[in-house]
Amino acid sequence: MKKFRIILLAAVSCLTGCGNWLDVVPDGVATLDMAFNSRKQALKYLATGYSYMPKNGGADDPATLGGDDIWTRRTTHFSNRFSLAGLDISEGLQNASAPVLPRWNRMFEALRVCNTFLENVDLVPDLPAWEREQWTAEAKVLKAYYHFCLVQMYGAIPLVRENMPVDADVYAVKVQREPVDECFNYIVQLLDEACQGDMLPTIVLDPASDYGRITKPIALSLKAKVLVTAASPLFNGNNDQATLRNHDGTPLFNTEFRPEKWEAAMAACKEAIDICHDAGIMLYKFEDAANRYNDTTVLNVTLRNAFNSRSSSEIIWANTQMISTPTSGGMIHASMPKLNPAYVNSNDICKWLGMPIKIAEMFYTENGVPLNEDKTRNIGDLYNLRTAQAEDKLYIRQGRTTVDMHFDREPRFYAWVGFDGGVWFGAGQYNDKDASSLRYLGFKIGETDGTEGQGNWTGYIPKKFIPYEAQLNAINNISSLSYAWPIMRLSDLYLLYSEAINEAEGPNGANSSELFRYIDLVRARAGLKGVKESWNAYTNNQKYNTQAGMREILQRERMIELSFEGQRFWDIRRWKTAPNEYHTPLMGWNMMVSTIDGTEEEVNKLMYQPQLLLKQEFGIRDYFWPIRTSDIEVNPNLVQNIGW
Amino acid sequence: MQFFSFLGRNRCVPPITSCLLFLKITAFLIIVATLQIHAKGVAQTVRLDISNGTVTALIKDVQRQTGYAFLFNRSDIEGLDAVSISIESDDIHEVLTESLKGLPLDFLVKEDQKVVVLKRNESKLKRERLLKGLQQQPTVQGLVVDTSGTPLPGVTVSVKDRANMVTSTDLNGRYVLQVPDGAVLVFTMVGYQSVEIEVGSQRQIDVVLEMSSSLLDDVVVVGFGTQKRRDVVGSVTSVSPGNLKVPSSNLTSALAGQAAGIIAYQRSGEPGQDNADFFVRGITTFGTNTNPLILIDGIELTPNDLARLRPDDIQSFSILKDATATALYGARGANGVILVTTKQGKEGPAKLSFRFENSMSAPTQTIDVADPVTFMKMHNEAILTRDPLGTILYSQEKIEMTEAGKYPLIYPANDWKKMLFKDYTMNQRSNLNISGGGGVARYYVAGSFNRDNGILNVDKRNNFNNNIVINNYDLRSNVNINLTKITELIVRLSANFEEYRGPLRGGADMYNLMVHSNPVLFPAYYPADEDFQYAQHILFGNFNNSKINPYAEMVRGYKEKSRSQILAQLELKQGLDFITKGLSGRGMLNISRLSQFAVNRAYNPFYYEISRYNRLTGDYKLFESQIGTEYLGYGELASEREQYSSFYFEGSLNYARDFGKHNVSTMAVFQARETLTANAGSLQLSLPSRNVGLAGRTTYSYDSRYFAEFNFGYNGSERFDKNNRFGFFPSAGAAWLVSNEGFWENIKPVVNNLKLRYSYGLIGNDQIGTAIDRFFYLSEVNMDDPGRRAVFGQEYNTYYNGITINRYANPYISWEKSYKQNFALELGLWNDLSVVAEYFTEKRDNILMTRSSIPSTMGLTATPRANVGEASGKGVDMMLEYQKSWNPDFWTSARANFTYATSRYDVFEEPEYNEPWRSRVGLSLNQVTGYIAERLFVDDAEAAGSPPQYIGTSEYGGGDIKYLDVNRDGRITEADRVPLGHPTVPEVVYGFGVSMGFKGFDLSVFFQGAARQSFWIDAAGTAPFINEAQILKDYADSYWSEENQNVYALWPRLSPTLNSNNVATSTWFMRDGSFLRLKQAEFGYTIPQRLSERWSMSNLRFYLSGTNLLLFSKFKMWDVEMAGNGLGYPNQRVFNLGVNLSIN
């Protein structure tokens, strides 16, 4: 028996020894603490915070395909290259069980990263004080931006002021939505904290490596936008959302209109404009140093470059996390036409993105007023055919027949909209002295972009996405500079300011001159005369004299100037004009024309028959995204948005 | 040499390969020949006439005359006196005693081994004692026959409690054995009742063995040892290795229905990928690991290794099911244990056994698709029915011309099935094993070669073979050496080599491509026309250069994979009777290595399209739409490169002793295991996996009537935090052998055996997360995550990779625990019929699950997990065996197995649903939930007027599936999903079969079935036109169309895009997975012995067998056993011809 005991003892001691044998994990396995061991690692963690920036302008942005300004048909050939999920929103298929293009999860992850950074940035030993301040401010601006992105999409949201521990109590984690006013206040508070003193740089000192990071102009412009949004009808005195309450009865929307919100917005816009000017941000103008081009071309290139050139001087905030590329999946690739007859067989370049007729009609006439108000035009002629003459040759290929509405429009129309017969400056052909050498769009059979069943279903291409130098350099390959998608341009800020003045004081208030000055700056850059001058000369009314009339003018100006940039989607919701806008169905020209042989006249007659593409609807529920049903099931304290 | 040649070189196997093959087989035969070391000998008369000769001369003389081998130390016989002897005798004892008289030499004659041991011994005393001892160990001989009087070869004859005194009967049923005084001889043979006879003064003992039907005396392999069937308290099923001999190179495919307690099914028939899924008593966890522990000769291996094991090499195959049986494997036994031991050599002359089989293999059923013309018409219909203004894809001209069959290159109509696959293929399997040995060493050596072929076509113009070919070589050598009388050393070496060659994409994918390729847009290839007459490549067809040409994909290259696994095992058994009687020790060391690598060799196909044609003359022009390569490219497949090493040590102490009627045994085992994987992929995974454990078993029985057993396992796993690392898993059981009671004597002729058993215990499972999640107590942080990269700088070229958390640390995560309970009844009737019926329950707690109570507003990048789940299972398994020899020429046997296992969620963290049917609690672990389909909508108006269906985002209307609004809230949402049908894993698996033999003929059939199983047709995967899908014939025959608005059609309204409303999981595509199939049938003929002996063979049998011959099921679209995997590589029906011969 004694022997047994010895054996047993030996076995037990052996097992104890084996306890250590089981320690297979060596020291030095990565933990989150390491992110704050050195400046270099902390910078990576800050970058992690940046990496969550929503990818505006792309398949993942609901504003790209989810609105009423861009449309395409669901074809597998395209959907293999570009997610068409956004169409679900545009076609009214948004739903609560699997929301389309939601931001809920990602943004809350991002907020956790920002908070973790803010909690730990003080631990980084080798971080100089000024840099610590700057990074803290950057993280706060990101935190504010992500909250704002959520508010835009969901309205009232739970605020993530601080992180809850991973093993927090199951009841504590079931948070509630906070009223929108509370949300906006908190976002502004964060931005104010970040803008204190000189924590943020006014200009990027090292653009080669830091371009795209938060600066003071960015923070203040964001603040301006946040306050304008907070003051807009959707959030300021919105009775539609009165029934949206937490379970304890707290209303999430304030139904009382507060004019002081517009005053705060106005002040913020001014502050932002001032610092942008200090930082050297100004409306872009193409410098034709070699004096190669005539004025029309220079204006054309100016307008195109203002948005899609990486050297554009008016970009306040470029999203370097969202680069538009000429490769498959990028916006350039998705909208590029072939243009070059040498590559007419290319089946990968199919100008898939189109825009409906109503957007083409939205642009002003050459007189800077809407088509239907321009007394020099006959509204009944718009769809009549007309042949381009020599004076049109830089805009419409001479001798081409197209509808009347394509003639005599403002320069922004020709710079940003491609249509059958429209001249496409650039893409390898730059000699504007010889207009017949320039590229143009041809949708008809046998023409560069006339291949059967390939792409564009409306007859219009959002040319704005494509840099003027972009061209095909091989059968399925586009050569183009890529560009970071602008989140905020100076013209955006100018128009916000004008809008805020008009809303706060009306067109004839104390800041009347400022109001007209900034909108006219934007118009002047587009080659148009001022609002008053244009309306006086070419319309039969002076609507700029009333607040409502001026509002209409400002909204139209904004929709034109910022067309296709992903702003319209949010603006028409903010203004609560979306139901009206969506009321006009999406129409396109008959693009089956590319399969029809016939005389030019016959073909044109067939082509310029508007075709119904999609009838859209917009109800109260469409102002906000649904919260995923399963999220509500996990946390019943969240109330669902109205209508879902 | 030109790579492509159109002269028609059609050599599937390059000459070098066949040459190698030949060499391998030859090497085998040489090994066999050298192993023939034993010669037969007959007792002979010895004549000696030596005067003054040396001892060496004497030895030589005797050796020459008798054939005995002499073992001695040279120094022992040097310098001895000369020998003078003259004798004639037929007793070698007498000869040696007389010859060596007066010399200080002892001798020991081992008659059965024909060995004489000589040893120097100066001590007279000792010498005398030895002589005395020798006299006391007389020789016993005799004959063993069965009840019909036929001699029984191979019966083990041993002296009770003396492990080293053992022999076996020869071919004529005869044995000779030296026995000590007062010995008791035990005669045992599998399938017969053991007999014990006290020797006393008898020198000739003849024995009649009766066939045992109760199998009570069978030795059963249990954890870390063996037990008599009679003594077993736990739940252990043994499968006769013979039942696993099916015409397949995959052992797992034979498991279904063969053993009570196994749930098994096979979903694919692709060579190398055709492992059956199998579970012991079903699945009772929703954690990661549901596989049973597989131990081959005590070593933990994978289902792949089990699949490659040859049934010929298997000595025993046991399934341990309940807590007492598996407790010793505390750490890993929760899902049951499969224990396999390989054969060992037996003392005796070399025995050679050879088996060769050739099989013809063909799919049990293939999928039919609609003809190309129907395809085009239906595709046009699909477009127009959804969008009347849509553009049709196929012009009327194309449809008409295709229908007319004119100009097949311009208007192609491909039957991809015919292009891609052959009708059948041939496979070969061979196995050769030799065993034998003497008193010192025994060996079992086996080699086998299998060749499995796929059914893919090969293009004659390629000079390589893209069909699946798997050559598998297996070598096994088990050697037992008696180092001393009480020390035995066992060396087991086994190696398995597999050479795989197959298509780039794998066989299953080719089947998938067959169904997912457009049949009418392009032909597989064009003949070279005038313009391309000098092309050195195949002119593959394509359309817009955007489609997949399945033929090109198949023939453009091949993949080669090489896998080898080597195991070396050393086991030492030491009797420790000198410490205390009945004590013994054992140590085992095992090292194994697995290595695998794969390469691709392929060319890029040249694609051609028709640029223009004349529809009247059929003239056409080709253009080259993709320029390929005429040479082979090469790619290493890092993902298939695998290297794995494992080390295992086990040491145990055993104690077993009888004290009168009390019988006690106890055992303690210490084990340690380490495995390492190369190419692990991350630091945490690259660390060694380690397990240590101490386990013990104590059994007690009284008078062979009452039995009790206690087991425990105390195990540690490296995966858990220090404080939660070890788990203690005890179990206990008891049994009562009623039929051994005195009062049973009168009932015994009818009920010859009645035994009741009960056990209860606790088992653990440490493999609770996926392999990626190893150390739950550590957080996993990716400090350099390109997925969260941020880009800055004017040229967008400054970037920082992000830091992300893939797992949050949770030090509390520990063992999953299983509480098992088992009730069993064993019944033997009339000595012919035996029944074992068991009822079991199981409760699992601490099941790892993803927390679902954490809202996404927490912003966690990984969802934390915790041991919070609970599940339970219960079921019944039954086994019935019947054996009867009606007369010496005619025997019959029958057997049946039945397993029913069900499971349910007990605790499952989930949101608090308003609808009770959404909760998983109470449902089977393999339950599917979905919508209830009512029928198809009659028209768009009805669809518009019905509750809106928020299922995906597709629009729906007439002819699309209408779902039931279960919660009546006026819309169809997630909340309307209910549990549907039966679980996806069958709850019932059964098998039954009969065998009979008449003279040399034998016949057996075996049926196997499964029930209580549902499966779903993969609606998204089979949806016509989606991903170029063709139309399944059944869909084409029954679908909703505007002309034929059948609201109960098989397929809803056609759509050119995936309609998410119709492909949601619902009752519409649910099918009953029950089936019964004729799994095995075999007819054999054994040549009469007098004939086979004339050809110096002891046994020669020819047989014809078949697998998957008949199938009974309601489901007709494909082999129902493949369930939802219907577009995969089909299960195979095999016809097989084999020969089995053995030579003594």
Side-chain angles (χ1 to χ4, degrees), chain B residues 12 269-272 359-363 420-428 451-458 465-471 500-503 506-508 510-511 554 1129-1130 1132:
Chain B
C12 295
E270 180 177 357
S359 329
M360 195 185 90
S361 177
L420 299 181
F421 302 109
K422 300 189 273 196
D423 292 335
Y424 65 91
T425 186
M426 290 287 188
N427 301 321
Q428 291 83 35
R451 185 189 179 99
D452 288 289
N453 295 298
I455 52 176
L456 275 57
N457 272 329
V458 178
N465 180 5
N466 55 266
N467 190 8
I468 300 174
V469 182
I470 300 179
N471 289 336
Y500 167 93
R501 172 123 58 136
M510 291 319 304
Y511 261 89
M554 186 174 80
Y1129 197 104
Q1132 300 286 304

Side-chain angles (χ1 to χ4, degrees), chain B residues 358-555:
Chain B
N358 183 64
S359 329
M360 195 185 90
S361 177
T364 51
Q365 208 175 335
T366 52
I367 294 172
D368 290 324
V369 295
D371 64 86
V373 172
T374 310
F375 174 83
M376 287 190 280
K377 287 180 178 166
M378 283 176 71
H379 202 162
N380 285 350
E381 182 188 336
I383 293 166
L384 294 178
T385 191
R386 294 286 170 181
D387 179 5
L389 297 174
T391 327
I392 56 164
L393 282 178
Y394 305 106
S395 64
Q396 195 55 34
E397 171 217 335
K398 184 171 171 65
I399 295 175
E400 277 167 14
M401 293 296 273
T402 309
E403 200 160 14
K406 255 185 162 182
Y407 311 132
L409 291 172
I410 302 171
Y411 305 102
N414 300 312
D415 181 349
W416 290 122
K417 187 158 76 177
K418 230 174 176 172
M419 301 255 9
L420 299 181
F421 302 109
K422 300 189 273 196
D423 292 335
Y424 65 91
T425 186
M426 290 287 188
N427 301 321
Q428 291 83 35
R429 285 173 296 282
S430 56
N431 179 291
L432 178 73
N433 61 64
I434 305 140
S435 67
V440 178
R442 294 163 302 284
Y443 58 87
Y444 174 85
V445 179
S448 62
F449 169 66
N450 288 358
R451 185 189 179 99
D452 288 289
N453 295 298
I455 52 176
L456 275 57
N457 272 329
V458 178
D459 195 290
K460 295 178 172 66
R461 290 164 292 182
N462 286 336
N463 60 355
F464 55 81
N465 180 5
N466 55 266
N467 190 8
I468 300 174
V469 182
I470 300 179
N471 289 336
N472 189 303
Y473 313 89
D474 192 85
L475 191 65
R476 180 175 299 276
S477 149
N478 292 348
V479 179
N480 300 39
I481 305 161
N482 290 355
L483 297 180
T484 71
K485 277 185 183 176
I486 54 170
T487 313
E488 187 182 12
L489 179 72
I490 307 169
V491 181
R492 296 188 187 94
L493 292 170
S494 75
N496 187 295
F497 306 100
E498 189 170 285
E499 312 292 342
Y500 167 93
R501 172 123 58 136
L504 292 173
R505 285 165 161 255
D509 215 26
M510 291 319 304
Y511 261 89
N512 198 25
L513 269 190
M514 169 193 100
V515 186
H516 286 104
S517 293
N518 191 301
V520 291
L521 286 180
F522 50 88
Y525 51 85
Y526 294 98
D529 64 2
E530 223 169 275
D531 295 351
F532 298 99
Q533 57 180 316
Y534 301 111
Q536 298 294 315
H537 48 257
I538 304 175
L539 282 66
F540 292 111
N542 207 324
F543 179 79
N544 261 356
N545 206 12
S546 61
K547 306 288 176 189
I548 291 174
N549 179 336
Y551 189 75
E553 280 302 311
M554 186 174 80
V555 303

Side-chain angles (χ1 to χ4, degrees), chain A residues 12-304:
Chain A
V12 168
S13 62
C14 189
L15 264 186
T16 337
C18 290
N20 295 331
W21 190 62
L22 291 179
D23 268 331
V24 293
V25 182
D27 290 341
V29 171
T31 61
L32 192 58
D33 305 340
M34 289 187 181
F36 302 99
N37 278 356
S38 68
R39 179 187 174 276
K40 212 176 155 195
Q41 296 297 344
L43 181 57
K44 281 168 75 178
Y45 202 72
L46 179 63
T48 312
Y50 272 99
S51 76
Y52 281 96
M53 276 174 60
K55 301 204 179 301
N56 358 37
D60 294 337
D61 186 351
T64 303
L65 284 176
D68 60 346
D69 52 347
I70 299 177
W71 193 78
T72 186
R73 198 178 282 276
R74 288 179 197 273
T75 58
T76 41
H77 201 39
F78 186 32
S79 66
N80 288 343
R81 290 157 175 77
F82 196 90
S83 163
L84 301 185
L87 284 179
D88 291 343
I89 302 175
S90 130
E91 291 170 8
L93 299 170
Q94 181 63 280
N95 65 95
S97 45
V100 182
L101 299 177
R103 281 183 185 159
W104 190 265
N105 290 20
R106 284 277 160 228
M107 288 296 100
F108 282 109
E109 270 178 33
L111 288 171
R112 190 171 190 90
V113 170
C114 293
N115 282 337
T116 306
F117 182 83
L118 290 170
E119 283 163 18
N120 292 288
V121 66
D122 289 340
L123 305 176
V124 184
D126 56 344
L127 194 61
W130 66 269
E131 207 165 23
R132 189 187 312 272
E133 280 187 348
Q134 185 188 330
W135 290 9
T136 304
E138 282 179 67
K140 281 185 175 168
V141 174
L142 287 175
K143 190 176 166 184
Y145 180 54
Y146 296 150
H147 273 115
F148 178 61
C149 288
L150 281 168
V151 170
Q152 259 192 332
M153 210 173 232
Y154 296 96
I157 53 157
L159 295 174
V160 189
R161 293 182 168 88
E162 277 171 1
N163 280 348
M164 255 183 271
V166 175
D167 53 356
D169 185 81
V170 284
Y171 298 102
V173 297
K174 293 186 177 170
V175 293
Q176 287 193 343
R177 298 173 69 178
E178 297 192 35
V180 283
D181 284 355
E182 202 65 38
C183 297
F184 281 115
N185 287 343
Y186 182 62
I187 294 167
V188 172
Q189 179 199 326
L190 283 170
L191 290 171
D192 284 342
E193 282 170 24
C195 292
Q196 277 169 5
D198 288 324
M199 288 167 78
L200 285 170
T202 304
I203 54 168
V204 177
L205 292 172
D206 179 6
S209 62
D210 287 348
Y211 182 73
R213 285 177 63 176
I214 307 283
T215 59
K216 204 162 182 179
I218 290 175
L220 288 173
S221 304
L222 177 61
K223 183 182 164 190
K225 183 145 211 183
V226 167
L227 284 171
V228 167
T229 306
S232 297
L234 185 61
F235 295 103
N236 191 4
N238 188 349
N239 275 306
D240 300 346
Q241 306 282 339
T243 54
L244 186 65
R245 286 161 190 268
N246 275 340
H247 294 311
D248 60 7
T250 318
L252 295 178
F253 278 78
N254 192 341
T255 54
E256 185 194 342
F257 174 76
R258 294 243 174 83
E260 63 268 26
K261 288 183 182 171
W262 278 116
E263 277 156 27
M266 189 174 90
C269 289
K270 180 74 178 116
E271 192 188 5
I273 287 172
D274 288 345
I275 191 144
C276 285
H277 288 166
D278 285 354
I281 297 167
M282 55 180 145
L283 288 184
Y284 173 80
K285 190 168 186 315
F286 178 64
E287 295 297 327
D288 183 18
N291 205 9
R292 288 192 294 169
Y293 307 138
N294 61 36
D295 290 350
T296 308
T297 305
V298 168
L299 182 55
N300 191 288
V301 175
T302 296
L303 290 167
R304 294 179 71 177

Side-chain angles (χ1 to χ4, degrees), chain A residues 3-4 7 11-12 14-15 18-26 28-32 34-35 41 43-45 47-48 50-52 73-74 76-77 88 91 93-95 97 100 104-106 108-109 112 158 160 164-166 168 170 173-175 207-213 310 320-321 323 347 452 454 457 482-484 592 621 630-631 633-636 638 643-644, chain B residues 387 389 391 544-546 578-580 583 647 653 655 666 670 672-674 683-684 687-694 714 716-718 722 725-726 774-775 777-781 783-784 788-798 800-805 808 851-861 864 911-913 915 918 950 952-955 971 973-974 1057:
Chain A
K3 279 169 189 158
F4 275 124
I7 289 161
V12 168
C14 189
L15 264 186
C18 290
N20 295 331
W21 190 62
L22 291 179
D23 268 331
V24 293
V25 182
V29 171
T31 61
L32 192 58
M34 289 187 181
Q41 296 297 344
L43 181 57
K44 281 168 75 178
Y45 202 72
T48 312
Y50 272 99
S51 76
Y52 281 96
R73 198 178 282 276
R74 288 179 197 273
T76 41
H77 201 39
D88 291 343
E91 291 170 8
L93 299 170
Q94 181 63 280
N95 65 95
S97 45
V100 182
W104 190 265
N105 290 20
R106 284 277 160 228
F108 282 109
E109 270 178 33
R112 190 171 190 90
V160 189
M164 255 183 271
V166 175
V170 284
V173 297
K174 293 186 177 170
V175 293
S209 62
D210 287 348
Y211 182 73
R213 285 177 63 176
R310 49 175 92 178
T320 49
Q321 312 318 319
I323 312 291
N347 57 17
E452 178 181 356
Q454 281 194 354
W457 307 95
S482 50
Y483 57 95
M592 292 316 291
R621 69 171 199 177
S630 58
D631 281 325
E633 280 162 355
V634 171
N635 178 7
L638 294 176
W644 296 108
Chain B
D387 179 5
L389 297 174
T391 327
N544 261 356
N545 206 12
S546 61
F578 53 84
I579 297 176
T580 180
L583 187 69
F647 163 86
L653 275 178
Y655 175 74
T666 184
F670 169 78
R673 182 169 183 268
E674 175 181 293
L683 170 84
Q684 294 197 359
L687 298 169
S689 300
R690 286 177 180 164
N691 266 86
V692 286
L694 182 69
Y714 181 63
S717 166
E718 94 290 354
K722 252 186 177 162
R725 197 163 273 172
F726 281 87
R774 264 188 73 191
F775 303 106
Y777 67 93
L778 295 175
S779 63
E780 168 124 25
V781 179
M783 296 293 289
D784 206 34
R788 284 255 75 89
R789 169 181 290 184
V791 180
F792 303 105
Q794 261 173 334
E795 302 298 319
Y796 321 133
N797 55 6
T798 303
Y800 306 97
N801 287 344
I803 296 175
T804 50
I805 302 179
Y808 295 92
R851 303 301 302 260
S852 58
S853 59
I854 298 176
S856 38
T857 49
M858 282 284 279
L860 302 183
T861 45
E912 295 163 26
Y913 296 118
E915 301 82 8
R918 296 181 71 188
Y950 296 101
T953 50
S954 293
E955 290 179 61
R971 50 193 191 163
T973 59
E974 285 282 306
T1057 54

Side-chain angles (χ1 to χ4, degrees), chain B residues 221-277:
Chain B
V221 177
V222 297
F224 301 104
T226 57
Q227 286 182 342
K228 282 243 180 78
R229 167 70 63 192
R230 183 197 307 276
D231 299 342
V232 173
V233 171
S235 179
V236 180
T237 303
S238 297
V239 180
S240 155
N243 292 338
L244 301 174
K245 285 181 187 163
V246 296
S248 160
S249 303
N250 191 323
L251 184 70
T252 61
S253 66
L255 288 177
Q258 290 288 5
I262 289 260
I263 296 278
Y265 48 83
Q266 191 174 355
R267 299 280 193 240
S268 163
E270 180 177 357
Q273 309 287 325
D274 52 352
N275 281 2
D277 296 294

